[in-house]
Amino acid sequence: MISIQVSLRPQSPVAVHPLLPEQKLTTSAQAITTEQVIANFLASNEHQGKFGSIRSIYMNDGTRVAFVGTGNIDKLNLQKLRSLASKTAQKLNKNNIETADVYLTELEVAGVNLADKVQAIAEGIWLGLYTFDNYQTKEKDKQTKLSSINIVIHGDESKAKQALAAAKAIAAGTIFARNLGNHPGNVCTPEYLGEQASSLAHPKLKTTVMDKAAIEKAGFTALLAVNQGSNKEPRFIIMEYRGADNDDAPIALVGKGLTFDAGGISIKPASQMDEMKFDMCGSAAVLGIFKAVIEMNLPINLLGVIPSTENLLGGAAYKPGDIITTYKGLTIEILNTDAEGRVILSDALAYAAEQKPAEIIDFATLTGACVVALGGQATGLMGTSDAIKQSLITSGQKTHDRVWEMPMFEEYQEQIDSKIADIKNTGGREAGTITAACFLSRFVDDIPWAHLDIAGTAWNMKGTDISPVGGATGAGVRLIVDYLQQKVQ
């Protein structure tokens, strides 16, 4: 991560100013229009104001001034500001500029204060510059790269620095989640996930990583059933962060940790099966959130629960038609071994509910049906608590890590009732995302609960302004950290 700072004064020989449509400039840039070279530049440039376009010139004193187009300022919001900062940093990096002052906080965004703008700009820079090239053996590009950015502000420097620190922690958590998702399945195994969870050492954090023997002793039998087809041991990860009073019930975060999902006996099509290394992005989100919360030292109690395994086709693999017993004691009729995420989550949710948290939020790349319904633009949201759901919607709008609620009418529950067991692990094609959530709801008791289906948002093969092509996005991290921040403010 490059160095970013905020200050009231410029620090660099390169200055980046916003350029609004019709050659309009913000306050700091207006002060330099008396320079003839600037006036000539503005008069001759045809593409001024186009969103993300950058044009630069050298001044007579050897300094450099760049103008970045803002597009229609009526549509400017925090996400546009993140994107603009990302595009700016990428262009500076491409042009071998080592350091620059940016004046993007001078842009007016309705309903947004200086701290919000600083956080958005910093997030955009850090996330926009993210790359994952760990497995490329070719010699790395040695040309000069962007090393530092100074965000020039006009206002409360103390609050701006606090916002920058929050942005750094959130970006670090998001990048941590992205890296986990981007590692291949032969590297990011259940054991590796356990090691990464243990790496988040902190005085307020206790981490327990159960191996197969401990899992068997604890009775997480649904996780063990899915694991039968793999020769790699499962892991059951428990994380307890105590940032508030010990008497305060924690918020439980539960993440699906399928480090590779071939579908088991109900094998997936070969096309794009390689992307099933991303099936652990729910667990990556939980770990990324914990990393951010630790770095921010949030005064809140959290419980993290991650069941992790592969879903493969070994001779001992569980089969369609099998009936398995869960940690909670409920029995499941297995109709499709590729509906395994909800099976392992049943043990994790039941364990989390047993700890009596204040609420439970789970994250899972759970259903292809959610991708069909929402594409990659929003995470599916379901649950039993209107208060949690509304707060998640609000945080999603602010962070652009968006969610969209789907109904959970009582009638949907009938689709997962089994004639020979308590429930079955798929309710059929109709309302597949919703019936998967209905399945999970049987394991949370009366604890307020929300389910986030990130199947469409956890990775993006096309890429976005703040997320690279063909990689994990870190979906859920920025959403939940903002959600937690609102609880402690």
Side-chain angles (χ1 to χ4, degrees):
M1 294 174 65
I2 72 165
S3 172
I4 302 178
Q5 64 176 1
V6 292
S7 72
L8 300 170
R9 291 171 293 279
Q11 307 286 335
S12 168
V14 179
V16 182
H17 295 278
L19 181 60
L20 285 62
E22 300 179 359
Q23 301 186 35
K24 293 181 180 178
L25 299 173
T26 53
T27 304
S28 295
Q30 289 175 2
I32 60 173
T33 54
T34 54
E35 299 279 350
Q36 189 61 46
V37 65
I38 296 291
N40 292 341
F41 174 80
L42 294 175
S44 65
N45 196 327
E46 323 186 311
H47 304 289
Q48 294 171 26
K50 180 180 177 181
F51 184 81
S53 65
I54 292 184
R55 300 290 186 274
S56 63
I57 56 173
Y58 285 97
M59 304 294 284
N60 293 329
D61 61 1
T63 60
R64 192 170 176 178
V65 176
F67 294 97
V68 56
T70 64
N72 186 348
I73 58 172
D74 293 334
K75 295 183 177 180
L76 197 61
N77 55 29
L78 284 179
Q79 179 60 14
K80 288 281 188 181
L81 197 57
R82 287 186 198 95
S83 296
L84 195 62
S86 171
K87 286 178 176 290
T88 299
Q90 290 170 7
K91 292 285 180 66
L92 293 172
N93 190 50
K94 185 177 180 180
N95 291 332
N96 301 326
I97 293 174
E98 292 184 329
T99 181
D101 296 314
V102 298
Y103 290 81
L104 296 180
T105 59
E106 294 187 353
L107 290 169
E108 294 186 9
V109 182
V112 169
N113 59 34
L114 174 63
D116 289 335
K117 288 191 284 188
V118 168
Q119 181 172 333
I121 291 166
E123 286 179 4
I125 293 169
W126 275 315
L127 297 181
L129 290 174
Y130 171 81
T131 59
F132 186 82
D133 56 7
N134 297 38
Y135 301 99
Q136 294 179 350
T137 58
K138 66 182 181 181
E139 187 176 0
K140 298 292 190 296
D141 189 355
K142 288 185 169 56
Q143 65 180 353
T144 300
K145 294 293 184 179
L146 186 64
S147 61
S148 67
I149 283 181
N150 176 45
I151 302 173
V152 182
I153 62 168
H154 306 288
D156 191 325
E157 191 172 11
S158 175
K159 288 185 177 179
K161 287 182 177 180
Q162 291 174 12
L164 180 62
K168 186 174 184 180
I170 293 166
T174 304
I175 288 170
F176 190 72
R178 286 180 178 180
N179 286 341
L180 287 171
N182 286 330
H183 282 302
N186 62 323
V187 172
C188 187
T189 61
E191 181 181 9
Y192 182 83
L193 271 186
E195 292 169 351
Q196 293 303 299
S198 297
S199 75
L200 299 176
H202 190 272
K204 296 180 181 179
L205 178 65
K206 176 185 176 183
T207 300
T208 303
V209 180
M210 294 185 182
D211 61 12
K212 187 173 182 178
I215 290 169
E216 290 173 340
K217 184 176 181 180
F220 297 124
T221 45
L223 172 60
L224 290 167
V226 175
N227 178 250
Q228 287 172 195
S230 172
N231 64 5
K232 294 189 183 300
E233 283 199 0
R235 292 291 185 268
F236 195 90
I237 303 165
I238 303 167
M239 306 175 74
E240 300 168 275
Y241 172 78
R242 291 288 179 181
D245 292 339
N246 287 334
D247 293 338
D248 291 350
I251 294 174
L253 306 177
V254 179
K256 173 185 170 186
L258 255 293
T259 57
F260 190 81
D261 179 20
I265 299 299
S266 307
I267 190 170
K268 293 178 180 290
S271 176
Q272 297 179 306
M273 192 194 286
D274 59 292
E275 294 179 21
M276 288 302 97
K277 69 176 186 176
F278 296 119
D279 211 21
M280 42 61 66
C281 284
S283 63
V286 171
L287 292 173
I289 293 163
F290 267 80
K291 181 174 178 61
V293 167
I294 288 168
E295 294 196 11
M296 296 170 75
N297 200 29
L298 283 186
I300 197 166
N301 292 339
L302 295 180
L303 169 67
V305 185
I306 296 171
S308 183
T309 181
E310 296 177 324
N311 185 28
L312 299 181
L313 294 81
Y318 80 137
K319 308 173 296 297
D322 284 358
I323 295 178
I324 63 175
T325 302
T326 66
Y327 177 76
K328 187 179 176 69
L330 292 176
T331 56
I332 304 172
E333 178 189 6
I334 303 299
L335 297 184
N336 186 327
T337 63
D338 194 26
E340 85 300 324
R342 67 201 71 180
V343 174
I344 69 169
L345 284 171
S346 70
D347 281 352
L349 289 170
Y351 173 81
E354 194 175 68
Q355 311 311 306
K356 303 300 181 185
E359 60 191 61
I360 301 173
I361 302 174
D362 77 73
F363 312 77
T365 50
L366 206 63
T367 65
C370 194
V371 186
V372 173
L374 300 176
Q377 304 306 316
T379 289
L381 169 64
M382 288 139 282
T384 59
S385 168
D386 290 337
I388 298 175
K389 288 185 289 185
Q390 187 53 57
S391 294
L392 288 172
I393 290 169
T394 300
S395 287
Q397 291 169 340
K398 180 179 178 182
T399 61
H400 207 71
D401 196 351
R402 296 173 294 185
V403 299
W404 192 262
E405 185 179 1
M406 295 182 176
M408 279 186 63
F409 303 136
E410 188 62 31
E411 290 83 353
Y412 289 121
Q413 294 282 351
E414 299 171 6
Q415 290 180 232
I416 62 164
D417 288 337
S418 169
K419 290 184 172 62
I420 60 174
D422 293 323
I423 52 177
K424 53 191 179 184
N425 78 327
T426 174
R429 288 179 58 84
E430 293 184 2
T433 297
I434 295 168
T435 57
C438 289
F439 178 98
L440 298 180
S441 72
R442 304 291 183 98
F443 297 91
V444 295
D445 297 334
D446 58 352
I447 308 295
W449 162 72
H451 163 58
L452 294 169
D453 191 330
I454 59 173
T457 54
W459 70 99
N460 190 320
M461 303 315 287
K462 296 179 181 179
T464 69
D465 288 341
I466 62 170
S467 185
V469 173
T473 62
V477 176
R478 293 187 299 115
L479 168 72
I480 298 300
V481 173
D482 184 80
Y483 172 83
L484 297 176
Q485 284 180 290
Q486 303 315 311
K487 284 186 171 292
V488 299
Q489 287 180 351

